[in-house]
Amino acid sequence: MMDGLWQVLLLALLPGLGNFAGGLAAEYGPSSPRLLNLALHAASGIVIAIVAVELMPEAVEVLPGWWIAAGFAAGAAAYILIEEMLHNAVSDGHGADHDDDHAGAPKIGGGAAMWMIYVAVAVDLASDGFMLGSGAALSPALALTLALGQVMADFPEGYAVIANFRAKGVERGRRILLSASFVLFSVGAALVAFLLLRNAPEMLKMLALTFVSGLLTVAAVEEMLGEAHDAEEDNRSSVAAFAGGFVLFTLVSSGLESIIGAG
Protein backbone atom coordinates (compact mmCIF):
# COMPACT_ATOMS: atom_id res chain seq x y z
CA MET A 1 0.00 0.00 0.00
CA MET A 2 2.80 2.44 0.84
CA ASP A 3 4.39 1.98 -2.60
CA GLY A 4 1.05 2.73 -4.23
CA LEU A 5 0.53 5.76 -2.01
CA TRP A 6 3.89 7.30 -2.90
CA GLN A 7 3.23 6.65 -6.59
CA VAL A 8 -0.11 8.45 -6.41
CA LEU A 9 1.35 11.41 -4.50
CA LEU A 10 4.20 11.79 -7.00
CA LEU A 11 1.75 11.71 -9.90
CA ALA A 12 -0.47 14.24 -8.12
CA LEU A 13 2.46 16.67 -7.97
CA LEU A 14 2.57 16.93 -11.77
CA PRO A 15 -0.68 18.87 -12.38
CA GLY A 16 0.17 21.30 -9.58
CA LEU A 17 3.67 21.85 -10.95
CA GLY A 18 2.29 22.47 -14.44
CA ASN A 19 -0.07 25.06 -13.00
CA PHE A 20 2.75 26.67 -10.99
CA ALA A 21 4.90 26.91 -14.14
CA GLY A 22 2.07 28.80 -15.84
CA GLY A 23 1.87 31.12 -12.85
CA LEU A 24 5.59 31.86 -13.05
CA ALA A 25 5.21 32.63 -16.75
CA ALA A 26 2.52 35.19 -15.88
CA GLU A 27 4.64 36.57 -13.06
CA TYR A 28 7.92 37.08 -14.90
CA GLY A 29 6.85 37.03 -18.55
CA PRO A 30 4.86 39.50 -20.65
CA SER A 31 1.40 40.40 -19.38
CA SER A 32 -1.37 42.43 -20.97
CA PRO A 33 -5.18 42.55 -21.02
CA ARG A 34 -5.16 40.75 -24.38
CA LEU A 35 -2.93 37.94 -23.10
CA LEU A 36 -5.14 37.61 -20.01
CA ASN A 37 -8.21 37.41 -22.23
CA LEU A 38 -6.62 34.66 -24.31
CA ALA A 39 -5.35 32.72 -21.28
CA LEU A 40 -8.76 32.80 -19.59
CA HIS A 41 -10.44 31.59 -22.78
CA ALA A 42 -7.90 28.78 -23.12
CA ALA A 43 -8.34 27.84 -19.46
CA SER A 44 -12.12 27.79 -19.90
CA GLY A 45 -11.77 25.49 -22.90
CA ILE A 46 -9.58 23.17 -20.86
CA VAL A 47 -12.06 23.05 -17.97
CA ILE A 48 -14.94 22.26 -20.34
CA ALA A 49 -12.81 19.54 -21.95
CA ILE A 50 -12.04 18.03 -18.55
CA VAL A 51 -15.76 17.79 -17.86
CA ALA A 52 -16.74 16.57 -21.32
CA VAL A 53 -13.86 14.19 -22.01
CA GLU A 54 -12.73 12.87 -18.63
CA LEU A 55 -15.39 13.33 -15.97
CA MET A 56 -18.85 12.95 -17.48
CA PRO A 57 -18.13 9.95 -19.75
CA GLU A 58 -16.97 8.01 -16.70
CA ALA A 59 -20.14 8.91 -14.80
CA VAL A 60 -22.51 8.20 -17.71
CA GLU A 61 -21.32 4.60 -17.89
CA VAL A 62 -22.27 3.94 -14.26
CA LEU A 63 -24.99 6.34 -13.07
CA PRO A 64 -28.61 6.67 -14.19
CA GLY A 65 -29.55 10.02 -15.68
CA TRP A 66 -31.31 11.40 -12.64
CA TRP A 67 -28.26 10.77 -10.42
CA ILE A 68 -26.10 12.60 -12.96
CA ALA A 69 -28.56 15.52 -12.96
CA ALA A 70 -28.64 15.59 -9.16
CA GLY A 71 -24.86 15.50 -8.82
CA PHE A 72 -24.39 18.25 -11.42
CA ALA A 73 -27.06 20.41 -9.78
CA ALA A 74 -25.40 19.95 -6.39
CA GLY A 75 -22.10 21.12 -7.85
CA ALA A 76 -23.77 24.20 -9.34
CA ALA A 77 -25.44 24.91 -6.00
CA ALA A 78 -22.06 24.61 -4.27
CA TYR A 79 -20.69 27.19 -6.70
CA ILE A 80 -23.50 29.60 -5.82
CA LEU A 81 -22.84 29.08 -2.11
CA ILE A 82 -19.09 29.62 -2.46
CA GLU A 83 -19.66 32.71 -4.60
CA GLU A 84 -22.02 34.19 -2.03
CA MET A 85 -19.55 33.52 0.79
CA LEU A 86 -16.73 35.15 -1.19
CA HIS A 87 -18.81 38.19 -2.07
CA ASN A 88 -19.64 38.65 1.61
CA ALA A 89 -16.00 38.18 2.64
CA VAL A 90 -14.70 40.65 0.05
CA SER A 91 -17.37 43.23 0.85
CA ASP A 92 -16.27 43.13 4.50
CA GLY A 93 -12.64 43.84 3.56
CA HIS A 94 -10.85 46.63 1.83
CA GLY A 95 -9.94 44.96 -1.49
CA ALA A 96 -6.74 43.30 -2.54
CA ASP A 97 -3.24 44.47 -1.82
CA HIS A 98 -1.38 46.28 -4.56
CA ASP A 99 2.22 46.63 -5.73
CA ASP A 100 4.01 49.43 -7.48
CA ASP A 101 2.67 48.43 -10.91
CA HIS A 102 -1.00 48.75 -9.92
CA ALA A 103 -2.38 51.69 -8.02
CA GLY A 104 -5.66 51.48 -6.18
CA ALA A 105 -7.77 48.62 -4.90
CA PRO A 106 -10.06 46.57 -7.15
CA LYS A 107 -13.80 46.80 -7.06
CA ILE A 108 -15.57 44.53 -4.61
CA GLY A 109 -17.30 42.54 -7.35
CA GLY A 110 -14.07 42.10 -9.27
CA GLY A 111 -12.35 40.85 -6.12
CA ALA A 112 -14.97 38.17 -5.58
CA ALA A 113 -14.74 37.08 -9.23
CA MET A 114 -10.95 36.94 -8.90
CA TRP A 115 -11.23 34.56 -5.95
CA MET A 116 -13.86 32.49 -7.73
CA ILE A 117 -11.35 31.84 -10.52
CA TYR A 118 -8.87 30.73 -7.87
CA VAL A 119 -11.54 28.41 -6.45
CA ALA A 120 -12.35 27.05 -9.92
CA VAL A 121 -8.70 26.20 -10.63
CA ALA A 122 -8.30 24.77 -7.13
CA VAL A 123 -11.34 22.53 -7.67
CA ASP A 124 -9.95 21.50 -11.06
CA LEU A 125 -6.67 20.44 -9.45
CA ALA A 126 -8.52 18.74 -6.60
CA SER A 127 -10.54 16.80 -9.17
CA ASP A 128 -7.27 15.75 -10.82
CA GLY A 129 -6.06 14.49 -7.49
CA PHE A 130 -9.35 12.75 -6.82
CA MET A 131 -9.23 10.93 -10.16
CA LEU A 132 -5.59 9.98 -9.67
CA GLY A 133 -6.14 8.72 -6.14
CA SER A 134 -9.32 6.77 -6.79
CA GLY A 135 -8.35 5.42 -10.20
CA ALA A 136 -4.71 4.48 -9.68
CA ALA A 137 -5.53 1.16 -8.02
CA LEU A 138 -7.65 0.13 -11.01
CA SER A 139 -5.55 1.57 -13.85
CA PRO A 140 -2.12 3.03 -13.06
CA ALA A 141 -1.56 3.71 -16.77
CA LEU A 142 -4.71 5.85 -16.93
CA ALA A 143 -3.61 7.77 -13.84
CA LEU A 144 -0.22 8.45 -15.44
CA THR A 145 -1.92 9.58 -18.66
CA LEU A 146 -4.10 12.10 -16.83
CA ALA A 147 -1.21 13.40 -14.73
CA LEU A 148 1.11 13.94 -17.71
CA GLY A 149 -1.67 15.47 -19.76
CA GLN A 150 -2.51 17.92 -17.02
CA VAL A 151 1.08 19.19 -16.89
CA MET A 152 0.50 20.76 -20.30
CA ALA A 153 -3.19 21.49 -19.90
CA ASP A 154 -2.82 23.27 -16.55
CA PHE A 155 -0.19 25.70 -17.84
CA PRO A 156 -2.68 28.24 -19.28
CA GLU A 157 -4.85 27.86 -16.18
CA GLY A 158 -1.91 28.79 -13.97
CA TYR A 159 -1.07 31.71 -16.25
CA ALA A 160 -4.65 32.95 -16.23
CA VAL A 161 -5.18 32.94 -12.48
CA ILE A 162 -1.87 34.68 -11.64
CA ALA A 163 -2.19 37.17 -14.50
CA ASN A 164 -5.64 37.96 -13.14
CA PHE A 165 -4.29 38.45 -9.60
CA ARG A 166 -1.57 40.66 -11.05
CA ALA A 167 -4.12 42.75 -12.95
CA LYS A 168 -6.17 43.15 -9.76
CA GLY A 169 -3.12 44.47 -7.88
CA VAL A 170 -2.34 41.58 -5.52
CA GLU A 171 1.25 41.96 -4.29
CA ARG A 172 3.95 39.75 -5.85
CA GLY A 173 4.89 37.68 -2.80
CA ARG A 174 1.28 36.79 -2.19
CA ARG A 175 0.77 35.92 -5.87
CA ILE A 176 3.65 33.44 -5.84
CA LEU A 177 2.39 31.81 -2.63
CA LEU A 178 -1.10 31.50 -4.10
CA SER A 179 0.31 29.94 -7.26
CA ALA A 180 2.38 27.44 -5.24
CA SER A 181 -0.65 26.61 -3.08
CA PHE A 182 -2.35 24.88 -6.02
CA VAL A 183 -0.02 21.91 -5.53
CA LEU A 184 -1.66 21.29 -2.15
CA PHE A 185 -5.08 20.79 -3.76
CA SER A 186 -3.98 18.09 -6.20
CA VAL A 187 -1.81 16.26 -3.67
CA GLY A 188 -4.30 16.61 -0.83
CA ALA A 189 -7.23 15.34 -2.90
CA ALA A 190 -5.17 12.43 -4.19
CA LEU A 191 -4.27 11.45 -0.63
CA VAL A 192 -7.90 11.64 0.54
CA ALA A 193 -9.14 9.69 -2.47
CA PHE A 194 -6.51 6.98 -2.11
CA LEU A 195 -7.15 6.46 1.59
CA LEU A 196 -10.92 6.94 1.76
CA LEU A 197 -12.41 6.44 -1.70
CA ARG A 198 -10.13 3.75 -3.09
CA ASN A 199 -12.45 0.96 -1.91
CA ALA A 200 -15.70 2.96 -2.03
CA PRO A 201 -18.61 1.82 -4.23
CA GLU A 202 -18.19 2.81 -7.87
CA MET A 203 -21.49 4.69 -7.78
CA LEU A 204 -20.24 6.99 -5.01
CA LYS A 205 -17.07 7.79 -6.97
CA MET A 206 -19.04 8.65 -10.09
CA LEU A 207 -21.47 10.82 -8.14
CA ALA A 208 -18.50 12.80 -6.85
CA LEU A 209 -17.31 13.29 -10.44
CA THR A 210 -20.68 14.72 -11.50
CA PHE A 211 -20.59 17.09 -8.51
CA VAL A 212 -17.16 18.35 -9.58
CA SER A 213 -18.41 18.63 -13.18
CA GLY A 214 -21.25 20.93 -12.14
CA LEU A 215 -19.03 23.20 -10.12
CA LEU A 216 -16.34 23.41 -12.81
CA THR A 217 -18.76 24.04 -15.67
CA VAL A 218 -20.51 26.93 -13.94
CA ALA A 219 -17.19 28.42 -12.80
CA ALA A 220 -15.74 28.27 -16.32
CA VAL A 221 -18.78 29.95 -17.90
CA GLU A 222 -19.64 32.46 -15.20
CA GLU A 223 -16.23 33.50 -13.85
CA MET A 224 -13.40 32.64 -16.26
CA LEU A 225 -15.20 33.83 -19.39
CA GLY A 226 -16.72 36.77 -17.52
CA GLU A 227 -13.28 37.91 -16.34
CA ALA A 228 -11.92 37.39 -19.87
CA HIS A 229 -14.57 39.72 -21.27
CA ASP A 230 -13.81 42.31 -18.60
CA ALA A 231 -10.08 42.18 -19.32
CA GLU A 232 -10.37 42.82 -23.06
CA GLU A 233 -13.05 42.72 -25.74
CA ASP A 234 -13.28 39.33 -27.44
CA ASN A 235 -12.14 38.81 -31.01
CA ARG A 236 -11.49 35.81 -33.27
CA SER A 237 -8.34 34.94 -31.37
CA SER A 238 -10.40 34.64 -28.18
CA VAL A 239 -12.62 32.04 -29.82
CA ALA A 240 -9.55 30.26 -31.17
CA ALA A 241 -8.00 30.23 -27.69
CA PHE A 242 -11.14 28.67 -26.19
CA ALA A 243 -11.30 25.99 -28.88
CA GLY A 244 -7.54 25.50 -28.64
CA GLY A 245 -7.78 24.83 -24.91
CA PHE A 246 -10.41 22.17 -25.48
CA VAL A 247 -8.44 20.61 -28.34
CA LEU A 248 -5.15 20.73 -26.41
CA PHE A 249 -6.48 18.82 -23.42
CA THR A 250 -8.34 16.30 -25.57
CA LEU A 251 -5.35 15.52 -27.80
CA VAL A 252 -2.88 15.37 -24.93
CA SER A 253 -5.14 13.13 -22.87
CA SER A 254 -6.09 10.74 -25.66
CA GLY A 255 -2.61 10.72 -27.20
CA LEU A 256 -0.82 9.86 -24.00
CA GLU A 257 -3.44 7.23 -23.17
CA SER A 258 -2.88 5.58 -26.55
CA ILE A 259 0.91 5.64 -26.18
CA ILE A 260 0.87 4.20 -22.67
CA GLY A 261 -1.80 1.66 -23.58
CA ALA A 262 0.29 0.43 -26.48
CA GLY A 263 3.42 0.22 -24.38
Side-chain angles (χ1 to χ4, degrees), residues 1 13 19 34 38-39 41 49 60 63 75 80 90 116 129 148 151 153 162 180 183 185 205 209 212 217 230 243:
M1 176 178 173
L13 279 173
N19 195 288
R34 173 55 58 192
L38 296 177
H41 274 87
V60 167
L63 296 177
I80 295 172
V90 173
M116 283 306 300
L148 293 176
V151 172
I162 296 306
V183 176
F185 292 98
K205 295 179 183 179
L209 292 186
V212 171
T217 300
D230 290 341

mmCIF file of all heavy atoms in Angstrom, residues 1 13 19 34 38-39 41 49 60 63 75 80 90 116 129 148 151 153 162 180 183 185 205 209 212 217 230 243:
data_model
loop_
_atom_site.group_PDB
_atom_site.id
_atom_site.type_symbol
_atom_site.label_atom_id
_atom_site.label_comp_id
_atom_site.label_asym_id
_atom_site.label_seq_id
_atom_site.Cartn_x
_atom_site.Cartn_y
_atom_site.Cartn_z
ATOM 1 N N MET A 1 0.826 -1.217 0.000
ATOM 2 C CA MET A 1 0.000 0.000 0.000
ATOM 3 C C MET A 1 0.855 1.259 0.000
ATOM 4 O O MET A 1 0.555 2.229 -0.685
ATOM 5 C CB MET A 1 -0.921 -0.006 1.212
ATOM 6 C CG MET A 1 -1.754 1.268 1.358
ATOM 7 S SD MET A 1 -2.878 1.173 2.770
ATOM 8 C CE MET A 1 -3.499 2.848 2.762
ATOM 9 N N LEU A 13 1.629 15.463 -7.926
ATOM 10 C CA LEU A 13 2.460 16.670 -7.973
ATOM 11 C C LEU A 13 2.493 17.290 -9.373
ATOM 12 O O LEU A 13 2.625 18.504 -9.520
ATOM 13 C CB LEU A 13 3.899 16.344 -7.549
ATOM 14 C CG LEU A 13 4.201 16.249 -6.055
ATOM 15 C CD1 LEU A 13 5.630 15.761 -5.856
ATOM 16 C CD2 LEU A 13 4.000 17.600 -5.373
ATOM 17 N N ASN A 19 0.663 23.838 -13.306
ATOM 18 C CA ASN A 19 -0.066 25.062 -13.000
ATOM 19 C C ASN A 19 0.881 26.132 -12.459
ATOM 20 O O ASN A 19 0.800 27.306 -12.833
ATOM 21 C CB ASN A 19 -1.168 24.744 -11.985
ATOM 22 C CG ASN A 19 -2.189 25.842 -11.866
ATOM 23 O OD1 ASN A 19 -1.893 26.901 -11.318
ATOM 24 N ND2 ASN A 19 -3.393 25.595 -12.356
ATOM 25 N N ARG A 34 -4.883 41.688 -23.294
ATOM 26 C CA ARG A 34 -5.160 40.751 -24.382
ATOM 27 C C ARG A 34 -4.658 39.351 -24.047
ATOM 28 O O ARG A 34 -5.357 38.357 -24.288
ATOM 29 C CB ARG A 34 -4.501 41.251 -25.684
ATOM 30 C CG ARG A 34 -4.569 40.265 -26.867
ATOM 31 C CD ARG A 34 -5.993 39.837 -27.166
ATOM 32 N NE ARG A 34 -6.854 40.958 -27.475
ATOM 33 C CZ ARG A 34 -8.181 40.887 -27.544
ATOM 34 N NH1 ARG A 34 -8.793 39.742 -27.276
ATOM 35 N NH2 ARG A 34 -8.904 41.953 -27.830
ATOM 36 N N LEU A 38 -6.894 35.910 -23.608
ATOM 37 C CA LEU A 38 -6.623 34.657 -24.311
ATOM 38 C C LEU A 38 -6.380 33.511 -23.335
ATOM 39 O O LEU A 38 -6.858 32.382 -23.548
ATOM 40 C CB LEU A 38 -5.411 34.830 -25.229
ATOM 41 C CG LEU A 38 -5.572 35.829 -26.379
ATOM 42 C CD1 LEU A 38 -4.261 35.959 -27.155
ATOM 43 C CD2 LEU A 38 -6.708 35.424 -27.308
ATOM 44 N N ALA A 39 -5.638 33.776 -22.253
ATOM 45 C CA ALA A 39 -5.346 32.723 -21.283
ATOM 46 C C ALA A 39 -6.614 32.246 -20.587
ATOM 47 O O ALA A 39 -6.797 31.041 -20.360
ATOM 48 C CB ALA A 39 -4.332 33.228 -20.251
ATOM 49 N N HIS A 41 -9.673 32.373 -21.808
ATOM 50 C CA HIS A 41 -10.441 31.593 -22.780
ATOM 51 C C HIS A 41 -9.858 30.183 -22.931
ATOM 52 O O HIS A 41 -10.601 29.198 -22.981
ATOM 53 C CB HIS A 41 -10.476 32.303 -24.138
ATOM 54 C CG HIS A 41 -11.572 33.307 -24.259
ATOM 55 N ND1 HIS A 41 -11.431 34.619 -23.847
ATOM 56 C CD2 HIS A 41 -12.845 33.204 -24.727
ATOM 57 C CE1 HIS A 41 -12.557 35.278 -24.073
ATOM 58 N NE2 HIS A 41 -13.439 34.439 -24.603
ATOM 59 N N ALA A 49 -13.300 20.817 -21.425
ATOM 60 C CA ALA A 49 -12.811 19.541 -21.947
ATOM 61 C C ALA A 49 -12.649 18.512 -20.838
ATOM 62 O O ALA A 49 -12.949 17.322 -21.035
ATOM 63 C CB ALA A 49 -11.479 19.749 -22.676
ATOM 64 N N VAL A 60 -21.395 8.654 -16.885
ATOM 65 C CA VAL A 60 -22.513 8.200 -17.713
ATOM 66 C C VAL A 60 -22.544 6.679 -17.818
ATOM 67 O O VAL A 60 -23.617 6.071 -17.912
ATOM 68 C CB VAL A 60 -22.430 8.845 -19.110
ATOM 69 C CG1 VAL A 60 -23.378 8.164 -20.091
ATOM 70 C CG2 VAL A 60 -22.748 10.331 -19.021
ATOM 71 N N LEU A 63 -23.841 5.750 -13.762
ATOM 72 C CA LEU A 63 -24.988 6.340 -13.074
ATOM 73 C C LEU A 63 -26.201 6.478 -13.984
ATOM 74 O O LEU A 63 -26.052 6.772 -15.180
ATOM 75 C CB LEU A 63 -24.621 7.725 -12.539
ATOM 76 C CG LEU A 63 -23.534 7.807 -11.467
ATOM 77 C CD1 LEU A 63 -23.257 9.270 -11.132
ATOM 78 C CD2 LEU A 63 -23.927 7.045 -10.215
ATOM 79 N N GLY A 75 -23.338 20.389 -7.587
ATOM 80 C CA GLY A 75 -22.102 21.120 -7.853
ATOM 81 C C GLY A 75 -22.367 22.576 -8.191
ATOM 82 O O GLY A 75 -21.657 23.475 -7.720
ATOM 83 N N ILE A 80 -22.739 28.430 -6.253
ATOM 84 C CA ILE A 80 -23.504 29.601 -5.816
ATOM 85 C C ILE A 80 -23.211 29.919 -4.352
ATOM 86 O O ILE A 80 -23.035 31.084 -3.973
ATOM 87 C CB ILE A 80 -25.009 29.355 -6.034
ATOM 88 C CG1 ILE A 80 -25.313 29.234 -7.522
ATOM 89 C CG2 ILE A 80 -25.835 30.488 -5.406
ATOM 90 C CD1 ILE A 80 -26.743 28.800 -7.822
ATOM 91 N N VAL A 90 -15.380 39.539 0.710
ATOM 92 C CA VAL A 90 -14.700 40.650 0.047
ATOM 93 C C VAL A 90 -15.351 41.979 0.409
ATOM 94 O O VAL A 90 -14.679 42.990 0.614
ATOM 95 C CB VAL A 90 -14.702 40.435 -1.482
ATOM 96 C CG1 VAL A 90 -14.160 41.668 -2.193
ATOM 97 C CG2 VAL A 90 -13.856 39.228 -1.832
ATOM 98 N N MET A 116 -13.123 33.603 -7.171
ATOM 99 C CA MET A 116 -13.863 32.486 -7.734
ATOM 100 C C MET A 116 -13.053 31.765 -8.800
ATOM 101 O O MET A 116 -13.154 30.550 -8.960
ATOM 102 C CB MET A 116 -15.200 32.957 -8.328
ATOM 103 C CG MET A 116 -16.274 33.231 -7.298
ATOM 104 S SD MET A 116 -16.603 31.839 -6.163
ATOM 105 C CE MET A 116 -17.098 30.558 -7.304
ATOM 106 N N GLY A 129 -6.540 15.330 -8.573
ATOM 107 C CA GLY A 129 -6.057 14.486 -7.490
ATOM 108 C C GLY A 129 -7.042 13.398 -7.126
ATOM 109 O O GLY A 129 -6.658 12.255 -6.869
ATOM 110 N N LEU A 148 0.219 13.348 -16.708
ATOM 111 C CA LEU A 148 1.110 13.940 -17.707
ATOM 112 C C LEU A 148 0.358 14.918 -18.601
ATOM 113 O O LEU A 148 0.880 15.970 -18.982
ATOM 114 C CB LEU A 148 1.758 12.843 -18.548
ATOM 115 C CG LEU A 148 2.738 11.926 -17.814
ATOM 116 C CD1 LEU A 148 3.243 10.828 -18.745
ATOM 117 C CD2 LEU A 148 3.910 12.726 -17.249
ATOM 118 N N VAL A 151 -0.098 18.325 -16.956
ATOM 119 C CA VAL A 151 1.083 19.195 -16.891
ATOM 120 C C VAL A 151 1.006 20.251 -17.985
ATOM 121 O O VAL A 151 1.264 21.440 -17.765
ATOM 122 C CB VAL A 151 2.378 18.367 -17.016
ATOM 123 C CG1 VAL A 151 3.586 19.280 -17.138
ATOM 124 C CG2 VAL A 151 2.542 17.458 -15.812
ATOM 125 N N ALA A 153 -1.886 20.844 -19.883
ATOM 126 C CA ALA A 153 -3.195 21.488 -19.905
ATOM 127 C C ALA A 153 -3.349 22.530 -18.800
ATOM 128 O O ALA A 153 -4.081 23.513 -18.972
ATOM 129 C CB ALA A 153 -4.288 20.434 -19.779
ATOM 130 N N ILE A 162 -2.872 33.748 -12.184
ATOM 131 C CA ILE A 162 -1.871 34.677 -11.639
ATOM 132 C C ILE A 162 -1.870 35.992 -12.410
ATOM 133 O O ILE A 162 -1.714 37.073 -11.816
ATOM 134 C CB ILE A 162 -0.481 34.016 -11.652
ATOM 135 C CG1 ILE A 162 -0.482 32.804 -10.728
ATOM 136 C CG2 ILE A 162 0.589 35.011 -11.211
ATOM 137 C CD1 ILE A 162 -0.948 33.083 -9.307
ATOM 138 N N ALA A 180 1.801 28.669 -5.797
ATOM 139 C CA ALA A 180 2.378 27.443 -5.236
ATOM 140 C C ALA A 180 1.348 26.639 -4.465
ATOM 141 O O ALA A 180 1.427 25.403 -4.397
ATOM 142 C CB ALA A 180 3.562 27.793 -4.331
ATOM 143 N N VAL A 183 -0.555 23.268 -5.664
ATOM 144 C CA VAL A 183 -0.021 21.914 -5.526
ATOM 145 C C VAL A 183 -0.709 21.182 -4.381
ATOM 146 O O VAL A 183 -0.952 19.968 -4.456
ATOM 147 C CB VAL A 183 1.507 21.971 -5.302
ATOM 148 C CG1 VAL A 183 2.065 20.571 -5.050
ATOM 149 C CG2 VAL A 183 2.194 22.600 -6.511
ATOM 150 N N PHE A 185 -3.756 21.290 -3.415
ATOM 151 C CA PHE A 185 -5.081 20.787 -3.757
ATOM 152 C C PHE A 185 -4.999 19.454 -4.485
ATOM 153 O O PHE A 185 -5.757 18.527 -4.183
ATOM 154 C CB PHE A 185 -5.846 21.814 -4.595
ATOM 155 C CG PHE A 185 -6.203 23.056 -3.843
ATOM 156 C CD1 PHE A 185 -5.430 24.201 -3.956
ATOM 157 C CD2 PHE A 185 -7.309 23.085 -3.009
ATOM 158 C CE1 PHE A 185 -5.752 25.360 -3.267
ATOM 159 C CE2 PHE A 185 -7.651 24.236 -2.313
ATOM 160 C CZ PHE A 185 -6.869 25.374 -2.433
ATOM 161 N N LYS A 205 -18.155 7.097 -6.264
ATOM 162 C CA LYS A 205 -17.070 7.792 -6.966
ATOM 163 C C LYS A 205 -17.613 8.591 -8.149
ATOM 164 O O LYS A 205 -17.235 9.739 -8.379
ATOM 165 C CB LYS A 205 -16.038 6.786 -7.451
ATOM 166 C CG LYS A 205 -15.293 6.054 -6.355
ATOM 167 C CD LYS A 205 -14.318 5.067 -6.974
ATOM 168 C CE LYS A 205 -13.586 4.256 -5.913
ATOM 169 N NZ LYS A 205 -12.653 3.277 -6.492
ATOM 170 N N LEU A 209 -17.769 12.702 -9.180
ATOM 171 C CA LEU A 209 -17.309 13.287 -10.440
ATOM 172 C C LEU A 209 -18.362 14.213 -11.046
ATOM 173 O O LEU A 209 -18.034 15.259 -11.603
ATOM 174 C CB LEU A 209 -16.957 12.190 -11.434
ATOM 175 C CG LEU A 209 -15.730 11.326 -11.123
ATOM 176 C CD1 LEU A 209 -15.441 10.381 -12.279
ATOM 177 C CD2 LEU A 209 -14.513 12.186 -10.815
ATOM 178 N N VAL A 212 -18.284 17.522 -9.138
ATOM 179 C CA VAL A 212 -17.160 18.350 -9.581
ATOM 180 C C VAL A 212 -17.451 18.937 -10.962
ATOM 181 O O VAL A 212 -17.123 20.096 -11.239
ATOM 182 C CB VAL A 212 -15.866 17.513 -9.597
ATOM 183 C CG1 VAL A 212 -14.731 18.283 -10.257
ATOM 184 C CG2 VAL A 212 -15.477 17.126 -8.172
ATOM 185 N N THR A 217 -18.093 23.488 -14.501
ATOM 186 C CA THR A 217 -18.757 24.042 -15.675
ATOM 187 C C THR A 217 -19.287 25.443 -15.401
ATOM 188 O O THR A 217 -19.079 26.371 -16.195
ATOM 189 C CB THR A 217 -19.913 23.129 -16.118
ATOM 190 O OG1 THR A 217 -19.394 21.836 -16.438
ATOM 191 C CG2 THR A 217 -20.610 23.694 -17.351
ATOM 192 N N ASP A 230 -14.135 41.059 -19.297
ATOM 193 C CA ASP A 230 -13.811 42.307 -18.596
ATOM 194 C C ASP A 230 -12.390 42.775 -18.894
ATOM 195 O O ASP A 230 -12.121 43.978 -18.922
ATOM 196 C CB ASP A 230 -13.970 42.119 -17.084
ATOM 197 C CG ASP A 230 -15.430 41.971 -16.668
ATOM 198 O OD1 ASP A 230 -16.313 42.362 -17.458
ATOM 199 O OD2 ASP A 230 -15.679 41.463 -15.562
ATOM 200 N N ALA A 243 -11.299 27.274 -28.172
ATOM 201 C CA ALA A 243 -11.296 25.993 -28.884
ATOM 202 C C ALA A 243 -9.948 25.301 -28.741
ATOM 203 O O ALA A 243 -9.879 24.072 -28.598
ATOM 204 C CB ALA A 243 -11.625 26.219 -30.361
#
